[in-house]
Amino acid sequence: QVQLVESGGGQVQAGGSLDLSCAASARTLTNFVLGWLRQAPGKEREVVAAITWSEGRTYYADSVKGRFTISRDSAKKTMYLRMNSLKPEDTAVYYCAVKLRGEATYSRWGQGTQVTVSS
């Protein structure tokens, strides 16, 4: 089974930047999609960005396109999220998650990390 451990996050003023990391423990991630999801108070969890581990194809929610960058280091089995030009509406708990390619839902989750953007 894949286990995920997140790091990063914190508090920043609007316009600032933060980096998140997600270390995955698994024998192989070849057939997986890894994603960053977030949940703000009173809102549903949403997929922010995702990446196919083998090809590195990326997906971004419209709300973060041009501001967030997802990437992965295959050797370290670590996924990253670089968040620039942060807005107060980006405030949420951010989770990394993994799913098999072709599956609709993410099956394994990290513990979550708080990102707070103040105006």
Side-chain angles (χ1 to χ4, degrees):
Q1 287 186 339
V2 180
Q3 292 187 328
L4 305 169
V5 178
E6 298 143 355
S7 60
Q11 186 167 350
V12 68
Q13 288 190 330
S17 299
L18 283 174
D19 293 312
L20 304 181
S21 299
C22 174
S25 62
R27 185 176 63 84
T28 178
L29 294 168
T30 301
N31 296 319
F32 288 92
V33 175
L34 273 73
W36 288 101
L37 293 81
R38 68 185 181 187
Q39 187 164 24
K43 294 187 177 181
E44 293 187 355
R45 192 173 294 181
E46 62 171 339
V47 178
V48 173
I51 188 166
T52 61
W53 195 260
S54 53
E55 299 94 350
R57 293 178 185 169
T58 57
Y59 159 85
Y60 295 96
D62 287 342
S63 58
V64 306
K65 280 182 182 176
R67 300 188 298 121
F68 290 11
T69 303
I70 189 171
S71 61
R72 88 266 193 252
D73 184 326
S74 298
K76 295 181 179 179
K77 293 183 180 177
T78 300
M79 176 177 66
Y80 305 95
L81 187 68
R82 173 68 174 178
M83 304 183 290
N84 293 326
S85 303
L86 282 161
K87 304 175 181 179
E89 51 263 42
D90 294 318
T91 296
V93 177
Y94 283 70
Y95 300 87
C96 66
V98 63
K99 64 177 180 175
L100 281 169
R101 296 180 67 166
E103 289 188 345
T105 58
Y106 288 87
S107 56
R108 302 288 295 180
W109 298 78
Q111 78 278 11
T113 185
Q114 177 70 45
V115 171
T116 302
V117 185
S118 57
S119 57

